[in-house]
Amino acid sequence: AALLRALGADRWRVALMLAAEFALTGAAGALLGMGLAVDTGLLLTRWWLDAAAPVPWLGLALTGAAITACCALAGVVACLGALRTPPLDALRSE
């Protein structure tokens, strides 16, 4: 963040880039986790209960969106200190 700020990016642009990065990471994790959970649930339901289980697609989509938003927000909040630090001070301390 300090290097981008030193190159001329303003705080909002860096915060937006960080939010996009954390949102993509959260979306990838949510997609992988929910995909494995659905596959495992369907497999176990067919194996133990010998029945077909419905997949709650709307609930999964809302959960994935919530996870993505939480990851983006948590990532930006965690980086607020770096966004508030003047670029030269941050580069001198490293």
Side-chain angles (χ1 to χ4, degrees), residues 56-74:
W57 295 111
L58 180 63
L60 288 173
L62 293 175
T63 302
I67 290 171
T68 301
C70 285
C71 286
L73 182 65

Side-chain angles (χ1 to χ4, degrees), residues 12 19 21 35-36 60 66 71 94:
W12 293 108
E21 179 181 347
L36 288 173
L60 288 173
C71 286
E94 290 181 8

Side-chain angles (χ1 to χ4, degrees), residues 42 45-46 49-54:
L42 291 174
T45 303
R46 288 184 186 151
L49 301 177
D50 203 22

Side-chain angles (χ1 to χ4, degrees), residues 12-53:
W12 293 108
R13 186 172 305 255
V14 175
L16 186 63
M17 289 182 351
L18 288 171
E21 179 181 347
F22 284 113
L24 286 174
T25 304
L31 188 64
L32 181 66
M34 289 187 300
L36 288 173
V38 167
D39 287 345
T40 303
L42 291 174
L43 180 70
L44 290 176
T45 303
R46 288 184 186 151
W47 185 48
W48 274 341
L49 301 177
D50 203 22

